[in-house]
Amino acid sequence: MRDDLADWRQWLARAVVLSYAVAAGLAVVLFTWLSDQAIDGFARLRAWEPLALLIWTPCWTAGLVWLTRRFAPGAAGSGIPQVMAALSPQVPPQQRGLFVSLRLSAAKILLTSGGLLGGLAIGREGPSVQIAAGVMQHAQRWLPRRSPLNHDGLLVAGGAAGIAAAFNAPLAGVMFAIEELTRKIEQRNSGLIIAAIVLAGLMAVSVFGNASYFGRLRVEHLTWSHLWPGLLTALGCGLAGGVFSRLLQRSLLGGNDRFSRWRAQAPVRFAFGCGLAIAVIGWVSHGATDGSGYDYTRRLVEGHLDLPVLYVTLRIVATWLAVWSGVPGGIFAPSLAIGAGIGSDIAQLAGTDQGAAVLIAIGMTAFLAAVTQAPITAFIIVMEMVDGHAMVLSLMAAALLASAVSRWISVPIYHRLAMAQLMRLPVTTAEPSAAPAAADPPAR
């Protein structure tokens, strides 16, 4: 105890890390507020003149892709693959700024909010990982020599803090750090890392209150009548999520098809085409596919099952096109919206409207687990929305089943895209075999 109290370096390191954890949480809070303002701005534009979106969305999408490629290529995509790439031992210290930095965090906040202002079907949770990691990484320059917390520990803490603040779920942030960013946390740093994650999450709670992002699911009790619809939901979401994950990877990594060549040769014009298709889908669906899907997911969670026809299919296509266009944005919130829609559809087909909340929760958990292949994180995120513990085992089983089905169809998306990120390293520092060849190495 005397040695611990006498070592001023440890206490200085702790003070620096916790201070930056507060800053990371506040950065995500600012990002959340700006994203909400962007969503409201797009809603006002739609209310004013829906047909104007057929011009606004494609032009805005093309402009965002041009800005991203010109000024901040490392900010493209969800941001999670960039953080994973920065954790790779293949990346020398002087090249980490290609993937994570304060500059990229600022660009990510503005560009992703811009995507939501354009009505694109993207989420802010994945970008929150890169934003918070960029803030936390900056703490390294203030740490004393021989500090027990290294660069990797700061990135892990920052990325997990982003999830914790975005979902108001610190436990989900801790599990995300273990499940996706690293397979273990060193025992000597675990307490400090967890404290930083919790502190960042508390910043969101202090501003937005202790409320779930998508509302609260009220499940009174489970019966045997939920067994077969629940199993069908988990399997269906596992299949659909695996196909969706594979589709995203195939599109982003490129190939020899016509569209991949068009994307590689004229990325801004390709983004305009994607934006135009997204605007048409939004017009046909009367706005149901616009944005991250927060409003419709919240309505489903609250028991309003009045989804438009083909909502799930149209949202899958809109999300795919938004991601493929190359704008900064994540897939967590759209995946939860798609999973909720699948659960609602199966509940109505099975004639179990009274127990729809059960299937909606299972659908959200299963589809997110299938797309990300991070079942524990997906389970905890949705568990935070459920009142009581009646569904703990059911959600856990659905996440594991859907993730297992998805692995038969697709490799883990973030790990694959992180390998592609390493192709952005200069030739002199990159290993030729570090990543699979791609026609147009994506900034995702």
Side-chain angles (χ1 to χ4, degrees):
M1 183 181 297
R2 186 182 303 109
D3 292 341
D4 184 52
L5 294 175
D7 191 350
W8 63 269
R9 293 184 181 85
Q10 289 191 23
W11 290 101
L12 177 60
R14 291 165 184 165
V16 169
V17 170
L18 295 180
S19 298
Y20 270 88
V22 172
L26 292 176
V28 175
V29 167
L30 172 63
F31 178 43
T32 301
W33 178 83
L34 196 59
S35 298
D36 290 341
Q37 297 303 309
I39 293 171
D40 292 341
F42 180 80
R44 287 193 293 269
L45 181 60
R46 169 173 286 284
W48 173 66
E49 180 52 69
L51 290 177
L53 302 179
L54 297 176
I55 300 175
W56 168 257
T57 297
C59 292
W60 192 249
T61 304
L64 287 173
V65 170
W66 182 83
L67 287 171
T68 302
R69 295 179 68 89
R70 175 68 177 82
F71 298 104
S78 76
I80 295 175
Q82 285 93 319
V83 177
M84 295 174 68
L87 287 165
S88 172
Q90 300 178 32
V91 180
Q94 64 272 20
Q95 299 295 341
R96 289 169 181 158
L98 289 173
F99 309 110
V100 178
S101 68
L102 275 181
R103 178 177 173 274
L104 287 178
S105 295
K108 196 77 166 188
I109 290 174
L110 296 175
L111 292 170
T112 305
S113 300
L116 293 171
L117 183 60
L120 301 181
I122 55 177
R124 61 174 178 81
E125 294 76 24
S128 296
V129 172
Q130 188 180 18
I131 291 168
V135 174
M136 287 296 295
Q137 178 187 243
H138 195 263
Q140 188 173 24
R141 66 180 58 193
W142 301 106
L143 292 178
R145 293 183 179 181
R146 293 182 295 173
S147 170
L149 195 62
N150 57 16
H151 173 268
D152 289 357
L154 291 172
L155 283 181
V156 170
I163 289 291
F167 281 108
N168 189 15
L171 182 57
V174 174
M175 293 313 305
F176 176 78
I178 297 173
E179 195 170 30
E180 284 293 326
L181 300 182
T182 181
R183 297 303 176 185
K184 64 178 182 178
I185 296 179
E186 293 184 13
Q187 184 177 1
R188 61 174 180 168
N189 297 327
S190 60
L192 186 57
I193 289 175
I194 293 173
I197 295 169
V198 173
L199 193 57
L202 286 176
M203 294 302 101
V205 174
S206 64
V207 176
F208 300 113
N210 190 21
S212 176
Y213 182 51
F214 288 105
R216 305 295 296 180
L217 276 163
R218 291 175 174 81
V219 179
E220 299 297 334
H221 60 276
L222 293 175
T223 65
W224 286 106
S225 63
H226 294 113
L227 176 60
W228 294 112
L231 185 60
L232 178 61
T233 301
L235 289 173
C237 287
L239 289 170
V243 172
F244 184 55
S245 176
R246 183 163 183 168
L247 177 63
L248 291 179
Q249 294 177 51
R250 179 67 175 81
S251 301
L252 294 174
L253 296 176
N256 296 321
D257 59 280
R258 180 188 307 174
F259 291 104
S260 294
R261 291 195 300 270
W262 181 23
R263 183 176 184 264
Q265 296 168 6
V268 176
R269 288 198 294 271
F270 179 82
F272 181 91
C274 290
L276 180 60
I278 292 169
V280 171
I281 293 172
W283 181 70
V284 170
S285 65
H286 302 286
T289 59
D290 295 335
S292 62
Y294 168 81
D295 290 336
Y296 275 86
T297 305
R298 191 175 185 90
R299 286 179 58 82
L300 288 173
V301 169
E302 292 173 350
H304 304 286
L305 308 183
D306 51 344
L307 286 178
V309 178
L310 299 178
Y311 169 79
V312 170
T313 302
L314 293 178
R315 176 154 285 282
I316 287 176
V317 175
T319 304
W320 167 50
L321 291 173
V323 172
W324 198 10
S325 70
V327 299
I331 58 174
F332 268 66
S335 295
L336 289 169
I338 293 168
I342 293 175
S344 173
D345 288 344
I346 292 178
Q348 295 185 64
L349 288 174
T352 59
D353 288 359
Q354 297 299 321
V358 173
L359 300 185
I360 289 171
I362 290 175
M364 294 170 72
T365 305
F367 195 85
L368 181 60
V371 173
T372 63
Q373 293 190 17
I376 301 177
T377 302
F379 150 69
I380 293 175
I381 288 173
V382 179
M383 185 186 70
E384 295 277 356
M385 306 177 193
V386 179
D387 282 330
H389 302 282
M391 289 197 63
V392 170
L393 294 178
S394 300
L395 294 180
M396 190 180 298
L400 294 174
L401 178 60
S403 180
V405 172
S406 176
R407 287 181 184 273
W408 297 340
I409 302 171
S410 170
V411 298
I413 183 170
Y414 291 132
H415 291 271
R416 181 77 180 276
L417 296 181
M419 293 173 65
Q421 279 288 328
L422 295 176
M423 294 292 290
R424 298 177 53 235
L425 288 171
V427 176
T428 55
T429 59
E431 299 270 346
S433 60
D440 177 30
R444 300 190 71 83

